[in-house]
């Protein structure tokens, strides 16, 4: 889910989001130029822990906003959390960070099974989903021939773990998917298939986040294109993996454009929609890189002193990603590791010579 933010407002939706209704004051660095960069912020473990804001988050947004509380650079909140209404989640985030309540729009609807986030009663939800799949959408009927392929299944969150207020990580929607996949295979002897996987680390999600960033810059009236994105997250297997995967995609896409126009680039093995191709046509494709910044306030913890200016490597040996994504150790190596989101903002500002 990508939440576009402008004038400290955020539009939220599953591959849909409303842009800011009013224009923020134009940000300026020491040289007087508009920003050529934007931020993609994860939420849980970066900005909040449960219902409590991470203290550094408020300091970070003080740096990002001007004296009137308006953002000086384009920002998108990129979260996989989708197990509540957008209006409720947006209000929750607004209160935690002291933001203005955002406008929201409705979810699109499709025929099939849409999995947004881990439920409260897992056994009940697992039973109902299996009933729907085995009955081809008619769970009140008696079980006869099991249809295969089954109804379309769309998953919007692949995080195995996430951080709330507890000291240890909590089971995420990726854990629920793991249960669903294994139950379906145990019952039918066949693999559960996904129509699409949306949310981090899927490239289509980052593509849409880039689209929102560019929309904000255009509404600001900034003529200078956005060239760089800084993706700040706490989870190497979703935030870092996704940002690095999208960075590879950007490099490949730019090479393809030079050679033969817009092409679909090679990616890690994952079911994808073709939406990102349309999104490429809808914006100016100016973004050249997406750098991953890993913070230590959530899933990832670092015990030693953490340098904020040099590249470090996470030593993940167990792949927590979804089964349909390949494990490439280089994709979980963060471009930078910092203590918290405020340090991440300072790091990006320094790299961009932004005051």
């Amino acid at each position: 889910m990508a939440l576009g933010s402008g004038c400290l407002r955020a539009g939220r939706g599953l591959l849909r989001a409303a842009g800011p209704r009013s224009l923020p004051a134009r940000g300026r660095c020491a040289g007087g130029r508009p920003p050529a960069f934007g931020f993609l912020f994860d939420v849980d473990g970066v900005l909040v822990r449960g219902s409590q804001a991470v203290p550094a988050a408020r300091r970070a947004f003080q740096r990002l906003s001007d004296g009137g509380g308006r953002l000086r650079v384009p920002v998108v909140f990129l979260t996989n959390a989708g197990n509540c209404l957008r209006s409720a989640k947006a209000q929750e985030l607004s209160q935690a960070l002291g933001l203005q309540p955002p406008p929201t729009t409705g979810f699109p609807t499709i025929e099939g099974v849409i999995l947004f986030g881990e439920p409260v009663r897992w056994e009940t939800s697992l039973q109902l989903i299996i009933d729907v799949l085995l009955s081809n959408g008619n769970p009140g009927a008696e079980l006869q021939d099991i249809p295969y392929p089954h109804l379309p299944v769309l998953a919007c969150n692949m995080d195995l773990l996430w951080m709330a207020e507890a000291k240890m990580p909590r089971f995420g929607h990726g854990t629920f998917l793991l249960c669903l996949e294994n139950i379906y295979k145990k019952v039918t002897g066949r693999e559960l298939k996904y129509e699409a996987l949306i949310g981090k680390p899927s490239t289509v999600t980052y593509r849409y986040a880039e689209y929102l960033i560019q929309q904000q810059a255009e509404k600001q009236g900034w003529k200078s294109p956005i060239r760089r994105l800084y993706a700040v997250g706490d989870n190497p297997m979703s935030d870092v993996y996704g940002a690095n995967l999208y960075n590879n995609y950007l490099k490949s896409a730019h090479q393809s454009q030079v050679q033969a126009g817009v092409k679909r680039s090679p990616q890690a093995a994952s079911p994808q929609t073709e939406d990102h191709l349309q999104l490429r046509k809808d914006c100016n494709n100016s973004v050249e890189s997406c750098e991953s910044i890993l913070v230590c306030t959530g899933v990832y913890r670092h015990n030693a002193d953490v340098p904020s200016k040099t590249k470090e490597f996470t030593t993940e040996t167990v792949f927590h990603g979804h089964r349909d994504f390949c494990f490439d150790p280089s994709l979980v190596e963060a471009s930078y590791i910092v203590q918290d989101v405020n340090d991440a903002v300072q790091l990006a500002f320094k790299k961009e010579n932004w005051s």
Side-chain angles (χ1 to χ4, degrees), residues 125-136 179-181 183-185 187-188 192:
S125 296
L126 288 168
Q127 181 69 71
L128 291 175
I129 294 170
I130 292 295
D131 287 350
V132 169
L133 296 178
L134 297 185
S135 65
N136 202 31
C179 294
L180 178 63
E181 293 158 8
I183 292 172
Y184 183 84
K185 185 172 183 178
V187 170
T188 68
L192 181 75

Side-chain angles (χ1 to χ4, degrees), residues 35 63 68 72 85 93 111 121 207 224 230 232 312 326:
R63 294 181 182 277
R72 300 186 296 131
L85 292 176
L93 182 60
E111 293 183 359
R121 297 176 58 187
R207 187 71 190 109
S224 179
Y230 295 93
V232 185
E312 286 204 356
C326 295

Side-chain angles (χ1 to χ4, degrees), residues 20-99:
R21 293 182 177 178
S22 58
L23 301 183
R26 296 186 180 186
R28 288 290 184 267
C29 69
R33 55 184 170 80
F37 65 104
F39 285 99
L40 310 180
F41 288 116
D42 180 36
V43 175
D44 294 300
V46 176
L47 303 179
V48 299
R49 292 278 299 271
S51 60
Q52 302 298 315
V54 175
R58 287 183 177 268
R59 297 195 299 271
F61 275 86
Q62 289 173 355
R63 294 181 182 277
L64 288 168
S65 59
D66 62 15
R70 295 169 296 191
L71 290 177
R72 300 186 296 131
V73 297
V75 167
V76 163
F77 300 109
L78 194 58
T79 174
N80 279 349
N83 55 347
C84 66
L85 292 176
R86 288 178 300 169
S87 56
K89 190 66 177 179
Q91 183 67 29
E92 181 182 304
L93 182 60
S94 298
Q95 291 177 351
L97 297 178
L99 310 182

Side-chain angles (χ1 to χ4, degrees), residues 222-283:
W222 291 326
K223 302 301 181 183
S224 179
I226 301 298
R227 297 295 186 188
R228 291 165 296 281
L229 298 177
Y230 295 93
V232 185
D234 70 305
N235 192 331
M237 292 295 179
S238 60
D239 301 317
V240 173
Y241 187 109
N244 290 342
L245 183 64
Y246 191 60
N247 189 55
N248 292 344
Y249 167 75
L250 288 172
K251 293 178 181 178
S252 179
H254 278 285
Q255 292 175 355
S256 298
Q257 281 184 315
V258 172
Q259 296 173 358
V262 176
K263 290 182 178 179
R264 181 171 182 175
S265 64
Q267 303 177 39
S270 61
Q272 298 287 344
T273 69
E274 297 298 323
D275 292 349
H276 67 290
L277 294 179
Q278 182 60 43
L279 289 171
R280 288 190 54 80
K281 300 174 184 178
D282 291 341
C283 57

